[in-house]
């Protein structure tokens, strides 16, 4: 910042015609500047601008007041760090100096005493003035003050886009730093040894699990109680979806029959972790190994079933003949968070874990009804030994339960119904490590990719939006019977609030119509027709509401819902309530040239730069969004458009494939994770940032998986468009659709790329928005124990050795500002 000075002396007005005894101005100024050094002051806004100086001096006689400066008027945007620097000089000693705010939205000054203070520019919807006063007092108690103004404009993306790359590190924009949080195998209980990372480690019931996925930060105060505003201490709750078994054992997994020790390790490495984190100062985070809050919820953890299916015959097994209890959770992918501070963790691709074949005595299929077989086929519980053949490890129930064959005389003699105990949303109270998690059966059973709660509005119903992560599956909405009462947000019995809002309500499935509107179709017994015969599967007649909720996919089929291009995460804009859904991708067999529709409009080829075969279908995916009619949670109709289309900007047809106008700074493929910044800080208040994470195969010839930051508009900000799709043989077909406004560098930028072969999944910030937690899943997933294809997270600090580990990346802005702004 340049220094501004005053020239001493005057060139005119030297003749004194005033005969009073008052001293002339020239002599006062000459005296003052002969004994004072001219100083400068100002306001500095990191990554924005430096501001100039203005001086205010009080004139005195024998006891002159201090000369002070508060700086010239300046401008910034929401979420930026602003530094106010005042200056003061005097013949006598300056005893005190400090700042106070005198106008505009309140901000928190980082210490009001002294010449310099900082604050975070607040969230605003239009240019807004903040005024501040700087005062200094000398040893003779003479005080002088000066004022300055800072004009704050609405939030804007405030970083330079990260370039596509293949580095084996997490790459972030200039001005940001990456630290590593909890990693696969880290001990989360006292006395558990450090992770050797050579395959010899055991006791994953007290270690961080594998394949860290969706995560959420829950605040704690100094008294270790819930505090939704705390940004320096909290609980990080993370899903652990699956395994890289080649790194989990010394030399990879042993063949069938599986050794007990290996099977136990693999089972325990699934599930959910709760871990206490604390900031030692300046966003220097670490986790507390021996915290009383630390907990693992694994496939072996007792759970309770709640809602319409609890106690039904669908859930009865030899281990739980009453049908209202179960054991554990599996393949936990995306999540949700309630207004009463509990976590909703979602069981996604659970079906493949079960043994179900017709070998041996051949009684599996023979002992099942046609209804059972139809349901099993629809959910993919097919013949085979199960993903990891855990049932082969012995007769202990923790292994036997993964054998879903009907080998007994009834369901109470075996585990044929065990698959019915998975595919649910599980509610966890992170603040109570002794509580029993509850599976909320009113939310339906399918491949839950997420369960995001809509805006909580006093007097309106509570809603939960959920995707079913498989190609040609559906989008669902649950609407509670009870209306929201804000008083329930602080209830001490948090799981009882789940009973109130999540156990009694109506489940709907979405139909997207060609004109940009849609309907929520109720999945209610008596209103759902029989599901027609499909192939070898006969017509399916629903027997009860429990039947509909256990076999939700069959009910959605029967209602004529719209099959989507692999529905994954949902997110709700906290400012306007609009709902976003990632549609990760689809292949040519599930989205052929003649099988597109307005909501899933593309069929095209994505070429490989290495000469590999071109992928056809919708290999890059898209993001659709909807707005409920009347902005009512209970609405049964909505408007929709397609917010963004994934595409490779280098080779995609701009007219028919790259419909969002992506360029090198923001092109992406296979959107997966989706999350809006918290409304408690400038990134999520007025114009919330949307964070988009990818799980990609089509674009990995260009770059590792990535996370982008977006400032989306709203449903209807684009218009209708007709595109021409092209098949592998050159045949074409036209499809009308509805697109959102085009992407630009102003509203969409690449914020992060991950290490080799990883998926970017899981994102949250502290309430103040100044620390970002990001899940980095399965780096080096295609490598081997003796030849890892990644060395992350060790590589983040330059060590290119050791087996890779899923871990949490902790990202902060070097100047302490709000992430992304």
């Amino acid at each position: 910042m340049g220094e501004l000075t005053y020239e001493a002396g005057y060139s005119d007005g030297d003749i004194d015609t005033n005969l009073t005894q008052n001293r002339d101005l020239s002599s006062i100024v000459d005296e003052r500047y002969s004994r004072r050094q001219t100083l400068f002051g100002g306001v500095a806004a990191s990554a924005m601008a430096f501001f100039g100086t203005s001086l205010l001096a009080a004139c005195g006689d024998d006891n002159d007041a201090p000369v002070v400066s508060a700086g010239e008027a300046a401008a910034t945007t929401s979420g930026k760090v602003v530094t106010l620097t005042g200056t003061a000089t005097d013949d006598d000693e300056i005893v005190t100096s400090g700042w106070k705010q005198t106008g505009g939205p309140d901000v928190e000054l980082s210490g009001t005493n002294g010449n310099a203070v900082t604050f975070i520019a607040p969230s605003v919807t239009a240019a807004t003035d903040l005024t501040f006063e700087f005062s200094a007092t000398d040893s003779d108690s003479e005080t002088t003050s000066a004022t300055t103004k800072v004009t704050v404009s609405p939030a804007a993306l405030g970083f330079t886009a990260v370039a596509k790359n293949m580095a084996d590190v997490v790459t972030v924009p200039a001005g940001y730093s990456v630290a590593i949080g909890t990693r696969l195998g880290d001990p989360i209980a006292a006395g558990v040894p450090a992770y050797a990372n050579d395959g010899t480690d055991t006791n994953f019931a007290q270690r961080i699990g594998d394949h860290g996925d969706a995560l959420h930060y829950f605040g704690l105060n100094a008294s270790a109680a819930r505090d939704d505003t705390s940004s320096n201490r909290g609980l990080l709750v993370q899903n652990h979806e699956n395994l890289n078994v080649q790194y989990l054992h010394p030399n990879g997994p042993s063949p069938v029959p599986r050794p007990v020790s290996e099977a136990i390790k693999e089972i325990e490495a699934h599930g959910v972790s709760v871990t206490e984190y604390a900031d030692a100062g300046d966003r220097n985070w670490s986790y507390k190994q021996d915290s009383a809050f630390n907990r693992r919820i694994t496939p072996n953890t007792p759970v309770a079933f709640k809602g319409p299916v609890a106690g039904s015959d669908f859930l009865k097994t030899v281990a739980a003949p009453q049908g209202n209890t179960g054991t554990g959770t599996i393949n936990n992918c995306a999540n949700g968070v309630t207004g009463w501070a509990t976590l909703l963790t979602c069981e996604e691709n659970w079906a493949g874990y079960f043994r179900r074949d017709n070998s041996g005595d051949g009684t599996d299929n023979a002992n099942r009804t046609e209804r059972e077989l139809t349901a099993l086929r629809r959910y993919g519980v097919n013949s085979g030994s199960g993903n990891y053949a855990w049932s082969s490890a012995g007769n202990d129930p923790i292994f036997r339960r993964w054998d879903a064959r009907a080998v007994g005389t009834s369901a109470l003699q075996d585990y044929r119904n065990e698959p019915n105990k998975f595919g649910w949303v599980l509610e966890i109270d992170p603040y109570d490590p002794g509580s029993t998690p509850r599976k909320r059966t009113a939310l339906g059973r399918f491949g839950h990719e997420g369960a995001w709660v809509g805006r909580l509005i006093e007097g309106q119903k509570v809603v939960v939006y959920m995707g079913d992560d498989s190609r040609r599956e559906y989008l669902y909405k649950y609407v509670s019977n009870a209306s929201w009462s804000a008083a329930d947000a602080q209830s001490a019995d948090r799981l009882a609030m789940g009973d109130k809002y999540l156990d009694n309500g109506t489940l709907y499935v979405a139909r997207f119509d060609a004109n940009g509107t849609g309907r929520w179709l109720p999945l209610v017994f008596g209103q759902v027709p029989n599901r027609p015969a499909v192939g070898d599967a006969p017509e399916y007649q629903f027997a009860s509401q429990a039947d509909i909720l256990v076999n939700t996919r069959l009910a959605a089929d029967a209602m004529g819902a719209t099959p989507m291009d692999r529905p994954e995460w949902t997110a709700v804009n906290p400012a306007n309530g609009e709902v976003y859904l990632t549609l990760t991708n689809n292949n040519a067999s599930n989205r052929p040239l003649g099988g597109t529709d307005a909501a899933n409009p593309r069929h095209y080829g994505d070429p490989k730069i290495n000469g590999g075969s071109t992928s056809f279908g919708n290999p890059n995916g898209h993001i659709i969004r909807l707005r409920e009619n009347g902005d009512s949670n209970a609405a049964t109709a909505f408007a929709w458009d397609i917010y963004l289309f994934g595409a490779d900007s280098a080779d995609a047809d701009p007219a028919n494939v790259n419909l969002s106008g992506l360029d090198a700074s923001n092109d992406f493929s296979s959107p997966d994770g989706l999350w809006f910044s918290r409304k408690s800080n400038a990134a999520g208040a007025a114009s919330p940032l949307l964070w988009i994470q990818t799980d990609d195969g089509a674009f990995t010839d260009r770059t590792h998986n990535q996370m982008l930051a977006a400032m989306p508009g709203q449903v209807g900000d684009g218009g209708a468009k007709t595109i021409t799709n092209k098949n592998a043989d050159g045949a074409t077909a036209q499809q009308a659709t509805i697109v959102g406004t085009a992407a630009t560098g102003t509203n969409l930028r690449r914020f992060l790329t991950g290490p080799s072969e990883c998926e970017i999944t899981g994102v949250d910030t502290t309430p103040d928005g100044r620390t970002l937690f990001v899940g980095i899943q399965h780096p080096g997933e295609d490598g081997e124990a003796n030849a890892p294809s990644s060395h992350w997270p060790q590589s983040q600090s330059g060590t290119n050795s050791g087996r890779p580990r899923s871990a949490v990346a902790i990202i902060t802005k070097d100047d302490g500002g709000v992430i992304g702004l």
Side-chain angles (χ1 to χ4, degrees):
M1 177 167 60
E3 181 173 327
L4 303 179
T5 60
Y6 285 90
E7 294 293 329
Y10 290 84
S11 59
D12 59 344
D14 287 336
I15 300 174
D16 190 354
T17 58
N18 188 341
L19 301 181
T20 67
Q21 298 301 308
N22 292 338
R23 298 172 60 187
D24 65 274
L25 179 61
S26 181
S27 66
I28 294 173
V29 171
D30 287 342
E31 178 183 17
R32 180 177 296 263
Y33 280 89
S34 69
R35 57 193 171 97
R36 282 201 179 87
Q37 178 182 2
T38 303
L39 299 174
F40 66 89
V43 184
S46 192
M48 178 189 62
F50 290 98
F51 307 119
T53 303
S54 64
L55 292 176
L56 277 180
C59 298
D61 198 348
D62 293 333
N63 180 30
D64 294 333
V67 176
V68 300
S69 167
E72 295 177 351
T76 188
T77 55
S78 295
K80 295 281 192 180
V81 174
V82 178
T83 301
L84 303 175
T85 304
T87 59
T89 59
D90 193 84
D91 284 345
D92 299 309
E93 180 184 0
I94 299 294
V95 176
T96 61
S97 62
W99 287 89
K100 69 177 181 180
Q101 186 177 2
T102 57
D106 290 342
V107 299
E108 182 178 352
L109 298 177
S110 61
T112 55
N113 295 326
N115 287 12
V117 296
T118 62
F119 66 89
I120 303 291
S123 179
V124 297
T125 57
T128 303
D129 290 339
L130 282 64
T131 57
F132 302 90
E133 180 180 272
F134 176 68
S135 300
T137 303
D138 65 16
S139 56
D140 287 327
S141 300
E142 293 283 347
T143 300
T144 307
S145 299
T147 61
T148 193
K149 177 178 71 174
V150 179
T151 301
V152 180
S153 292
L157 297 178
F159 60 91
T160 300
V162 169
K164 297 187 286 281
N165 68 84
M166 298 288 193
D168 191 28
V169 295
V170 174
T171 305
V172 294
Y176 287 82
S177 296
V178 179
I180 306 301
T182 41
R183 304 157 294 178
L184 163 68
D186 277 344
I188 59 170
V192 180
Y195 193 59
N197 197 25
D198 59 6
T200 63
D201 301 279
T202 59
N203 187 18
F204 275 81
Q206 293 182 310
R207 296 184 183 275
I208 294 294
D210 204 354
H211 280 215
D213 208 292
L215 52 81
H216 189 78
Y217 172 94
F218 293 87
L220 286 170
N221 64 19
S223 300
R226 171 188 168 187
D227 182 353
D228 297 341
T229 68
S230 173
S231 293
N232 55 26
R233 183 185 181 189
L235 304 175
L236 197 68
V237 185
Q238 185 176 32
N239 290 339
H240 300 288
E241 181 183 13
N242 211 320
L243 308 171
N244 272 15
V245 287
Q246 72 271 41
Y247 301 128
L248 204 61
H249 307 297
N251 299 296
S254 300
V256 175
R258 298 300 312 284
V260 168
S261 61
E262 289 187 6
I264 289 175
K265 181 189 297 190
E266 292 168 8
I267 292 169
E268 291 178 344
H270 284 77
V272 180
S273 63
V274 181
T275 314
E276 182 179 343
Y277 274 72
D279 174 13
D282 294 326
R283 291 156 297 284
N284 181 17
W285 291 90
S286 61
Y287 83 96
K288 191 175 188 298
Q289 178 178 338
D290 60 352
S291 170
F293 290 103
N294 290 355
R295 182 185 188 189
R296 286 295 318 281
I297 295 97
T298 76
N300 293 334
T301 301
V303 300
F305 281 86
K306 304 288 287 186
V309 184
S312 72
D313 289 345
F314 290 100
L315 300 180
K316 294 177 180 178
T317 69
V318 64
Q322 302 304 313
N324 52 23
T325 61
T327 310
T329 187
I330 198 77
N331 209 258
N332 304 82
C333 196
N335 64 3
V337 183
T338 69
W340 48 96
T342 60
L343 182 92
L344 303 178
T345 182
C346 300
E347 298 172 342
E348 187 198 23
N349 292 317
W350 49 270
Y353 286 84
F354 294 96
R355 179 180 182 183
R356 239 224 84 225
D357 55 36
N358 206 28
S359 61
D361 57 14
T363 59
D364 187 7
N365 286 353
N367 285 343
R368 293 187 182 273
T369 66
E370 284 297 327
R371 286 169 48 82
E372 287 180 275
L373 293 173
T374 296
L376 288 166
R377 293 188 194 104
R378 184 64 180 85
Y379 279 84
V381 187
N382 298 317
S383 61
S385 61
N387 288 351
Y388 301 103
W390 292 333
S391 66
S392 71
N395 289 323
D396 189 294
I398 67 172
F399 305 127
R400 280 191 60 211
R401 61 192 290 240
W402 303 105
D403 185 346
R405 293 177 299 163
V407 295
T409 58
S410 73
L412 296 181
Q413 301 298 316
D414 54 34
Y415 289 93
R416 70 183 71 181
N417 282 338
E418 195 70 14
N420 292 340
K421 294 193 171 187
F422 294 90
W424 305 103
V425 173
L426 179 72
E427 185 178 16
I428 298 168
D429 183 350
Y431 294 103
D432 183 0
S435 60
T436 299
R438 300 178 184 180
K439 293 199 177 185
R440 302 298 182 185
T441 64
L443 276 61
R445 172 178 167 267
F446 41 90
H448 280 278
E449 178 64 34
W452 202 257
V453 177
R455 287 192 302 176
L456 294 173
I457 301 171
E458 185 76 23
Q460 285 201 28
K461 307 297 185 181
V462 174
V463 297
V464 184
Y465 297 96
M466 301 168 285
D468 184 355
D469 182 13
S470 195
R471 288 166 177 160
R472 294 189 61 79
E473 292 300 342
Y474 307 115
L475 171 67
Y476 297 88
K477 177 176 83 165
Y478 165 85
V479 181
S480 67
N481 288 347
S483 296
W484 174 245
S485 172
D488 289 339
Q490 297 301 319
S491 172
D493 193 345
R494 287 171 284 273
L495 291 177
M497 294 301 98
D499 294 346
K500 176 179 178 179
Y501 291 109
L502 301 180
D503 285 346
N504 298 283
T506 302
L507 184 65
Y508 297 85
V509 67
R511 186 190 73 208
F512 292 83
D513 296 330
N515 63 356
T517 66
R519 301 290 301 180
W520 291 111
L521 310 174
L523 301 179
V524 176
F525 182 61
Q527 300 181 42
V528 177
N530 295 346
R531 192 248 199 182
V534 178
D536 295 333
E539 181 181 72
Y540 190 93
Q541 182 176 355
F542 296 95
S544 64
Q545 185 63 27
D547 190 356
I548 287 173
L549 294 172
V550 169
N551 296 300
T552 309
R553 286 179 174 176
L554 292 170
D557 294 344
M559 290 296 287
T562 303
M564 308 296 285
D565 285 349
R566 195 177 165 198
E568 298 226 27
W569 289 47
T570 52
V572 176
N573 187 325
N576 61 20
E578 291 187 347
V579 183
Y580 287 67
L581 170 70
T582 49
L583 299 167
T584 292
N585 53 47
N586 214 334
N587 57 27
S589 61
N590 284 293
R591 191 60 68 190
L593 181 66
T596 62
D597 56 51
N600 305 272
R602 292 188 300 173
H603 177 101
Y604 57 95
D606 182 78
K608 300 292 183 291
I609 62 174
N610 59 8
S613 60
T614 298
S615 299
F616 279 85
N618 180 20
N620 296 304
H622 57 286
I623 302 173
I624 200 166
R625 62 186 172 185
L626 63 89
R627 187 159 192 161
E628 302 280 17
N629 282 9
D631 291 335
S632 170
N633 286 346
T636 56
F638 56 86
W640 66 267
D641 67 8
I642 296 179
Y643 164 55
L644 284 175
F645 294 85
D648 183 344
S649 65
D651 55 29
D653 176 357
N656 300 299
V657 178
N658 188 10
L659 301 176
S660 297
L662 305 179
D663 61 29
S665 71
N666 57 24
D667 51 356
F668 68 93
S669 176
S670 297
D672 186 349
L674 199 64
W675 179 75
F676 276 98
S677 289
R678 292 177 178 237
K679 62 182 181 181
S680 55
N681 63 74
S687 300
L689 291 191
L690 176 63
W691 299 89
I692 303 166
Q693 300 177 314
T694 67
D695 178 16
D696 175 45
F699 202 41
T700 49
D701 55 344
R702 296 281 188 189
T703 184
H704 291 160
N705 272 304
Q706 58 183 290
M707 184 167 77
L708 303 99
M711 302 197 76
Q714 60 185 16
V715 172
D717 60 13
K721 186 176 180 63
T722 298
I723 61 176
T724 300
N725 291 316
K726 181 180 291 188
N727 206 352
D729 63 5
T732 62
Q734 290 192 316
Q735 175 64 60
T737 187
I738 302 169
V739 304
T741 192
T744 67
T746 301
N747 61 30
L748 180 69
R749 295 179 197 170
R750 186 177 302 105
F751 178 82
L752 171 155
T753 57
S756 300
E757 299 169 10
C758 80
E759 173 186 349
I760 309 297
T761 181
V763 53
D764 194 15
T765 66
T766 48
D768 63 8
R770 300 168 75 187
T771 299
L772 180 73
F773 302 98
V774 178
I776 307 297
Q777 185 182 115
H778 62 64
E781 66 171 339
D782 296 330
E784 299 296 335
N786 59 355
S789 49
S790 169
H791 299 293
W792 195 86
Q794 304 89 273
S795 58
Q796 195 70 37
S797 58
T799 301
N800 293 312
S801 63
R803 298 182 180 192
R805 301 161 71 178
S806 295
V808 175
I810 303 174
I811 299 167
T812 54
K813 200 172 182 181
D814 296 345
D815 67 3
V818 175
I819 304 294
L821 301 183

